Amino acid sequence: MPVSVPVMREEIDVTTRVVDTGRGVRVTRNVTEQPAEIHEQLWHEELDVQRVAVDRVVAEAPPSRYEGDVLVVPVLEEILVIEKRYRIKEELRITRVRKQQEYRETVPLRVEDVQVETFDDTRPDGVPPRNQAT
């Protein structure tokens, strides 16, 4: 007589699902200002204008000219004679003067400090609070 031997077979079905563990990250940012001193040399220029009386008659209007670092600008005036002539009434002597001054100022500079802290909102029994989906 034939003998029947039952054979068993196990099977596994593996799936995944999203579970809210209640864990999160909290980021805190603090901004502070620290004073920083500025110390720079600044340049600025001034013009020194001198009026020099000349009172000289010329045949034609002379152009402006440089005498070293000085710009000489003739100031003209017409005078009535039998013929028209130019007389230099005065000259403007313009010298560029470069001066240095010290500049100091304290300005605020911002510094950010960031703390990152993890936390777990689950209850001690491992179940998330009711307002969170599982």
Side-chain angles (χ1 to χ4, degrees):
M1 160 170 252
V3 178
S4 265
V5 179
V7 177
M8 295 182 64
R9 180 172 83 191
E10 290 183 342
E11 294 181 358
I12 187 166
D13 184 20
V14 178
T15 61
T16 61
R17 64 185 170 114
V18 177
V19 176
D20 187 352
T21 63
R23 295 182 184 146
V25 174
R26 180 177 295 123
V27 177
T28 306
R29 181 174 75 174
N30 295 321
V31 177
T32 59
E33 290 184 353
Q34 297 177 351
E37 186 172 312
I38 297 171
H39 184 226
E40 289 293 325
Q41 297 294 324
L42 302 180
W43 292 93
H44 72 277
E45 293 181 347
E46 296 176 358
L47 297 179
D48 179 30
V49 179
Q50 296 177 347
R51 293 177 171 263
V52 178
V54 175
D55 198 24
R56 181 173 66 222
V57 176
V58 293
E60 58 184 41
S64 298
R65 66 186 187 281
Y66 275 97
E67 292 180 358
D69 289 341
V70 178
L71 173 63
V72 179
V73 179
V75 178
L76 303 174
E77 170 183 69
E78 288 183 346
I79 56 172
L80 184 60
V81 288
I82 297 178
E83 60 186 346
K84 192 187 298 186
R85 298 181 188 169
Y86 290 102
R87 177 179 64 163
I88 300 174
K89 178 180 175 182
E90 65 180 342
E91 291 177 337
L92 299 179
R93 298 183 177 263
I94 303 170
T95 305
R96 181 174 290 161
V97 179
R98 190 172 191 198
K99 295 183 177 181
Q100 181 178 2
Q101 71 182 33
E102 189 172 293
Y103 177 77
R104 287 181 184 253
E105 181 179 348
T106 300
V107 296
L109 298 179
R110 291 188 176 116
V111 177
E112 287 188 351
D113 182 34
V114 177
Q115 293 86 32
V116 177
E117 158 188 7
T118 59
F119 60 89
D120 190 348
D121 285 339
T122 57
R123 297 190 318 221
D125 59 3
V127 178
R130 286 188 189 144
N131 62 352
Q132 293 183 346
T134 57

